[in-house]
Structures are given as structure tokens and as C-alpha cells.
Amino acid sequence: MADTQTVETEPDKKQRSVRVVLLALMITMMLAMLDNMIVGTAMPTIVGELGGLEHLSWVVTAYTLATAAATPLWGKLGDMYGRKGVFMTSIVLFLIGSALSGMAQDMGQLIGFRAVQGLGAGGLMVGVMAIIGDLIPPRERGKYQGMMAGVMALAMIGGPLVGGTITDNWGWRWSFYINLPLGVVALGLISVVLHLPAKRAQARIDYLGAALLTVGITSIVLVTTWGGTEYAWTSARIMELIGIGVAALVGFVFWQTKAAEPVLPLHIFRSRNFTLMSIIGFITGFVMFGATLFLPLYQQSVQGASATNSGLLLLPMLGAMLVTSMVAGRVTTNSGRYYVFPVLGSVLMVVGLYLLSTMDTGTSRFTSGVFMAVVGLGMGCLMQITMLVAQNSVEMKDMGVASSSTTLFRTLGSSFGVAIMGALFNHRVQDTMADRGGALGSKVTEQSAQLDAKSLEKLPDAVREAYQYAVSAGTHSAFLLGSIVAVVSLVAAVFVKEVPLKGAGPQKSADDAAPAPLVEV
């Protein structure tokens, strides 16, 4: 009887251990996603105390650059030396950067410490996705999509609210210190419960490949960050960065064919599904971060919504994304079928973005909320499915590289989306203000096409109305471009081949080690 009870409770104990590990992973994922949103809210207070307004953009840029450059390296290191140790190292580095950022005494120190924090952050999302890839078979992974989508939605909605509350009550330094207790909890849970096979690679790290990739990614991010703002798109500095970036990436691709242990093995792109998921992930990042940037701006400037609740303005989109992601995950787990979701998601994204492009000064909040929900439904079909299919398209030994590559393409997509849609928006707003607002209108937007609530209140009625019309015209152009770009995602989705998800049945080879025993119970 005692033996029978032990056998019966074993699956329950194993399931509980998986849940504990997933809790730690979700906390880590939350750290990675919340940081920029919390810090963004605290930025005016930081500048007020530390000064250095002219270097303000570098507080975000340093973090973004370091994150993008480090992402592929963390994935490769996890494949070579074992996922657990590398992941915990990235958490520790992120927490060190957070603590140092909170102690910064001037803007230069803050920028440097933010870069340290970004280096650690590059391994957080990659580590979460790769460990889930090791831990849970693809067929079962869909059940946990809703959890990941929920964390993402919570971060986007709660980030500005949490950032504002912390800054107002505890001071801006706690916008960094808040990471420490959460990170310590995640580290403790992971160290005790998660037990993955140890690895020790004989090959040396591909330092040349890592350097070339870092230079290439850094140049791309700087071009998209500086182009049209710090420097004109046709300026010598932007042209130099483009030249350096292209040369570095071409050199990187060539070297990867020669390296003994390449940072980004090119053979993974021989899988049609992996390549298509990389394209879809890039487009999803392009659209998603563009939408989250311009929707609150439109609702605050045109519809008169409060800036303090900017995260709540995205609730229709994020709520729809959460629900659809949960449904898609359950259907994928129960049926093993997933082809419909990239196609349906891309169609909804194209339609939703086109609907958003039709908004004008008379569009009601309810109508814009419905349009946002359509985009959210599309994103919910795509956000986690892209990672799931990408991981299912490679061997277990390349799980980290596949996860980091998919994350990197989505990150680069977001950089391009914000830059290109932002440039189009600014150009349209400034042209419209010159036409409708006259000389005063041009003067109002010559420094920035995005005015805060206080600046908007000070404008004469006629100029304010002209600005509201200009913002609606700018969002029309930005979302119309997004809709056109999203067509690329639809074309890529049509060519996806539905390959059976690994771990879906008894067909497990020796190479596909059963993921469940990786957790000690």
C-alpha cells in the first residue's frame, strides 16, 4: 500500500516542482520586462537630481545596446557550459547592475551601471525560454503560454504605475533597488529546485565571432536610435554606422562558416520553420513596440486621457493578447496543431493595424479600444507560438542559440519599429503643424513632435486643435506602415510547415532526452 501511494504521488510532486521552477522563471522574466518601464517613469526625477539632461537618452540606450549585444552570447554559453549556471550568472550580473545604478552619483555613473545591468538582462529572457525548452516538451509547452503572456501584460500595464508609485513615495533609487528582493527570491528557488545536466564544452568560445556580432548589433541599434533624432538620416555619422554595421555583419556571417564553435551556428537557418519564425518574430517586435509607443500618445493628446494611467490605456490590446495566447496554448497542447495560429495572428495584426490607421480626432475611446483588441488578438496568436515553433525546429544542443536568436530578432524588430514608425510620425506631425498651425505651429514642434500634457495645456486653442489633428495624422501614417509591414508576417506564416511537436507521443529518441526528470523532486 505504501509503495502504491508513493507511485501515485510521484507525478504530483514532479508537477509541483515544475510549477516552483516556472514561478522563479516568471519572476525573472518580470524583472527583464519591468525594468525599462519603471525607470522610464522615474526619469524626470533622476534628471532633476543628477542633472545631465543632454545625456538622458543614453540611460536607455546603454541598457538596450548591452542587452541586444549580450543576448546571443548568453544563449551560446548556456548551450556550451550548462543552462543553470549561466542563467544564474546573468541574474547576479543584472542585480549587481541594479544595485550600482541605484547608488549612482552622477549621470555618467548611471549610464555605465545601466550598461552592466543590460549585459545581465540579455541573459534573462534567453535563459527563461531555453530552460522552459529543456524542461517541458513542445507539445506540453503551450499550456504555459498564458502564464508568459500574463507576465508580459502585467509588466506593460503595471510598469508605469509601479514606477510612479515607487518614485513618489520611496525615491527614484528604489526603481532599481526593487529588483534586488525579487532577484534573490528567483535565485534561491532556481538553485534549490532546478537541476539540469552539467555540461563542459571542450571547444573555445568564438571571441572573434562574438566581437563582430556585437559591433554589428551595436551599429544597428545606434542607427535606429539616433537616426532622425540626434543626427539626420543622411548625416555622415549615420552613414558611418551603417557602413560599420554592414561590414561587421558580413564578416560575422563569413567567420561563422569557419569557426569551430560558432556563436550563431548558421545550420539552424536551414530549417525553413526556424527562418520563418525569425522573420515573424522580427515583424511582431516591429509592430508591438510601435503600437505601445503611439497608442498612449494618441489617447493622451487627442482623446484627453490621463498620462498617469498610460499603462491602463493598453488594456484592450493586452487583455485580448492574454486571452488568445492562453487559448492558442491549450489548443496546441491538446491537438498538437499550430499552423493556423501564425496565419490567423498575422491576418488579425494586418487588419487591426489598418483599423488603427483610420482613427482621427473624432474616434471614441470605445472604438479605438475595439481596434486595439483586434491587434491584441493577433499578437496573442504569435507571441509565444514563434518561440515554440523555433525551438521545435532545432536539436536540443542548439536550444539556447535558437532561443537567443528568436529573442534577438524580436528585439531588433522593436528597434526598427520604434525608429521607422517614429520618424514617419514626427515628419507627418511637423508637416501638418506647419500647414494648419502656421508659424507658431512650426515653432511648437521644432524641438519635438511629442508634447507632454503641461506643454499641451499652455497652447492656444487653435494651435492645440491643430496639434491634435497632426497627432491623428501622424498615427495614421505610422499604423498604416505597420499594417503594410505586417503583410510580410502573413506571407511568411503561409509557408510554415506543420512539423509534429517533439514530446507529443512515444517517439522519443536518445537525443531528445525526456525533459521531465530534469527537475529534482
Side-chain angles (χ1 to χ4, degrees):
M1 179 66 72
D3 291 341
T4 303
Q5 288 178 343
T6 302
V7 172
E8 288 176 348
T9 57
E10 191 69 20
D12 293 334
K13 291 166 67 178
K14 190 171 295 182
Q15 189 67 23
R16 280 197 301 272
S17 296
V18 170
R19 289 198 191 103
V20 173
V21 172
L22 284 172
L23 173 62
L25 295 179
M26 292 305 105
I27 291 173
T28 311
M29 186 175 171
M30 178 76 78
L31 287 175
M33 300 202 63
L34 266 179
D35 188 78
N36 259 339
M37 296 184 176
I38 291 178
V39 172
T41 310
M43 204 62 74
T45 308
I46 293 174
V47 173
E49 182 173 325
L50 298 183
L53 178 62
E54 67 276 14
H55 304 303
L56 176 63
S57 63
W58 273 104
V59 176
V60 175
T61 301
Y63 181 90
T64 305
L65 277 176
T67 301
T71 293
L73 306 183
W74 286 114
K76 184 62 181 178
L77 289 172
D79 286 339
M80 292 177 66
Y81 298 110
R83 209 87 62 207
K84 179 180 176 179
V86 170
F87 182 51
M88 292 179 69
T89 301
S90 72
I91 296 176
V92 170
L93 187 58
F94 178 82
L95 295 181
I96 290 172
S98 298
L100 291 174
S101 295
M103 294 185 287
Q105 298 302 308
D106 58 50
M107 193 61 82
Q109 289 183 11
L110 181 60
I111 291 169
F113 296 150
R114 284 282 284 166
V116 174
Q117 195 183 15
L119 289 174
L124 299 187
M125 288 294 288
V126 173
V128 168
M129 296 302 177
I131 289 173
I132 288 176
D134 277 349
L135 195 63
I136 303 168
R139 178 68 180 265
E140 298 298 314
R141 216 170 291 156
K143 289 191 296 188
Y144 302 98
Q145 281 183 207
M147 187 185 299
M148 289 183 277
V151 169
M152 185 176 297
L154 185 61
M156 289 185 174
I157 294 171
L161 298 174
V162 172
T165 302
I166 289 174
T167 304
D168 290 341
N169 293 284
W170 298 345
W172 66 266
R173 296 182 186 278
W174 276 96
S175 62
F176 297 105
Y177 292 151
I178 195 68
N179 294 328
L180 302 181
L182 292 173
V184 169
V185 170
L187 275 175
L189 291 174
I190 290 167
S191 63
V192 172
V193 182
L194 179 64
H195 293 266
L196 298 174
K199 296 180 183 178
R200 174 57 65 178
Q202 299 300 317
R204 296 180 61 188
I205 297 173
D206 178 16
Y207 291 106
L208 178 57
L212 288 170
L213 183 60
T214 299
V215 171
I217 291 173
T218 300
S219 299
I220 290 173
V221 174
L222 284 177
V223 167
T224 56
T225 303
W226 284 348
T229 54
E230 297 287 327
Y231 303 95
W233 285 105
T234 55
S235 67
R237 180 60 54 86
I238 296 298
M239 292 297 107
E240 288 169 3
L241 285 171
I242 291 174
I244 292 170
V246 170
L249 292 177
V250 169
F252 171 76
V253 171
F254 173 76
W255 177 248
Q256 294 308 279
T257 63
K258 308 292 184 183
E261 192 66 44
V263 174
L264 185 61
L266 299 183
H267 66 79
I268 62 177
F269 291 98
R270 293 175 190 160
S271 165
R272 183 171 78 181
N273 276 5
F274 182 84
T275 302
L276 292 173
M277 287 302 120
S278 298
I279 294 171
I280 293 173
F282 180 92
I283 301 299
T284 304
F286 187 106
V287 168
M288 179 177 172
F289 285 90
T292 55
L293 175 66
F294 294 110
L295 281 170
L297 179 63
Y298 168 83
Q299 291 188 304
Q300 290 168 36
S301 300
V302 180
Q303 296 182 327
S306 168
T308 55
N309 296 323
S310 57
L312 297 176
L313 301 177
L314 299 173
L315 193 56
M317 183 176 75
L318 298 174
M321 184 178 76
L322 173 59
V323 171
T324 315
S325 186
M326 293 176 66
V327 172
R330 285 291 175 181
V331 171
T332 301
T333 296
N334 293 335
S335 67
R337 312 298 293 270
Y338 56 81
Y339 175 81
V340 66
F341 295 114
V343 175
L344 179 61
S346 298
V347 169
L348 288 169
M349 202 157 62
V350 171
V351 172
L353 288 165
Y354 175 76
L355 291 173
L356 288 176
S357 75
T358 65
M359 296 189 303
D360 56 27
T361 55
T363 304
S364 68
R365 290 192 191 181
F366 175 78
T367 302
S368 61
V370 171
F371 295 167
M372 291 163 63
V374 176
V375 176
L377 292 173
M379 288 182 181
C381 292
L382 295 172
M383 287 300 294
Q384 304 304 330
I385 288 290
T386 51
M387 181 66 74
L388 172 64
V389 178
Q391 290 179 335
N392 191 59
S393 304
V394 301
E395 299 177 41
M396 287 293 291
K397 67 183 180 66
D398 292 323
M399 186 66 69
V401 167
S403 302
S404 64
S405 299
T406 307
T407 303
L408 176 63
F409 279 112
R410 188 177 295 172
T411 301
L412 293 178
S414 68
S415 294
F416 276 91
V418 169
I420 296 174
M421 293 172 77
L424 188 62
F425 172 86
N426 291 340
H427 181 71
R428 186 71 186 275
V429 168
Q430 288 168 345
D431 283 355
T432 306
M433 284 296 284
D435 290 341
R436 299 177 70 95
L440 180 57
S442 297
K443 188 175 181 180
V444 165
T445 57
E446 66 183 358
Q447 295 298 323
S448 174
Q450 300 178 27
L451 304 182
D452 58 26
K454 291 182 179 178
S455 300
L456 203 56
E457 288 173 2
K458 296 176 182 177
L459 296 178
D461 291 345
V463 178
R464 188 187 306 116
E465 289 175 8
Y467 181 71
Q468 290 174 335
Y469 181 86
V471 168
S472 65
T475 52
H476 164 77
S477 298
F479 287 127
L480 187 60
L481 172 67
S483 179
I484 294 170
V485 170
V487 172
V488 177
S489 175
L490 177 57
V491 173
V494 169
F495 288 97
V496 170
K497 182 180 180 182
E498 193 166 63
V499 178
L501 295 175
K502 297 170 186 174
Q507 84 273 9
K508 281 186 183 148
S509 65
D511 293 333
D512 294 332
L518 296 175
V519 180
E520 186 175 73
V521 292

